[in-house]
Amino acid sequence: MTDMDHLAWQDQYALGHGEIDQQHRALLSLLRHLRQAIATSVDSTTIENSLQEIVNETLNHFRDEEKLMGGSNYPGYLGHRAAHQNLEAAMGKLVATFEADPASFTLETVAALGELILHHICEEDQPMVQFLNAPDATAATEGKLTAASLF
Ligand SMILES: [Fe+2]
């Protein structure tokens, strides 16, 4: 197997903020758990609970990030919150997909969800943490930080 496991924690995912990094680690761990559940074809109730746990933890995590952003007057706050809302909507669709037809929820679906989350971490959380850690140093690149999200 030559493909890297994107859901395994990697140094590049560490953004340099203890609380946020810890929550990201926990989310990836939950995604691996869901992947394992699907790979071993456990019952659909267990899979749905696992998926719901990911949704709940992600929403709690978004709320925590939004508190941190609001508390520090992060200039990219609105764009970042919109990205969270888009991710929330995407996850809601995945839950609906599962509920409509559990068999259609596959390892590829988990990989796609993982990609959405990892993309958000690398593209949107990274500049946020940079600002949280050094608000003055990054104020000059404000324009970049508020670039619209792809999602
Ligand atoms: Fe975020």
Side-chain angles (χ1 to χ4, degrees):
M1 203 164 120
T2 54
D3 282 345
M4 178 171 61
D5 179 6
H6 295 283
L7 297 184
W9 183 260
Q10 295 163 40
D11 287 345
Q12 60 170 324
Y13 298 157
L15 302 179
H17 189 287
E19 181 187 356
I20 290 172
D21 286 339
Q22 199 282 327
Q23 291 181 351
H24 286 162
R25 266 182 196 271
L27 281 178
L28 289 188
S29 173
L30 288 174
L31 280 163
R32 292 197 302 273
H33 190 259
L34 173 63
R35 183 176 62 184
Q36 178 70 10
I38 291 171
T40 55
S41 302
V42 300
D43 62 284
S44 62
T45 303
T46 301
I47 293 173
E48 183 164 17
N49 289 342
S50 175
L51 178 59
Q52 199 56 58
E53 191 181 4
I54 290 170
V55 172
N56 294 342
E57 286 306 306
T58 301
L59 297 187
N60 286 337
H61 168 61
F62 285 172
R63 235 161 274 142
D64 286 344
E65 280 191 2
E66 285 162 16
K67 261 184 230 157
L68 287 166
M69 286 190 283
S72 67
N73 293 315
Y74 177 48
Y77 177 83
L78 289 177
H80 198 129
R81 196 180 63 178
H84 285 173
Q85 287 165 345
N86 289 340
L87 274 170
E88 183 177 348
M91 288 191 299
K93 277 185 198 158
L94 286 180
V95 172
T97 297
F98 182 89
E99 284 169 351
D101 179 13
S104 72
F105 200 96
T106 63
L107 290 172
E108 286 71 28
T109 316
V110 180
L113 175 58
E115 286 302 315
L116 282 179
I117 290 174
L118 287 169
H119 181 276
H120 180 74
I121 290 172
C122 296
E123 300 298 321
E124 277 136 353
D125 290 343
Q126 197 275 335
M128 171 192 68
V129 167
Q130 201 181 329
F131 181 86
L132 291 175
N133 286 343
D136 296 334
T138 50
T141 56
E142 181 177 325
K144 267 188 178 172
L145 299 176
T146 53
S149 162
L150 284 171
F151 294 99

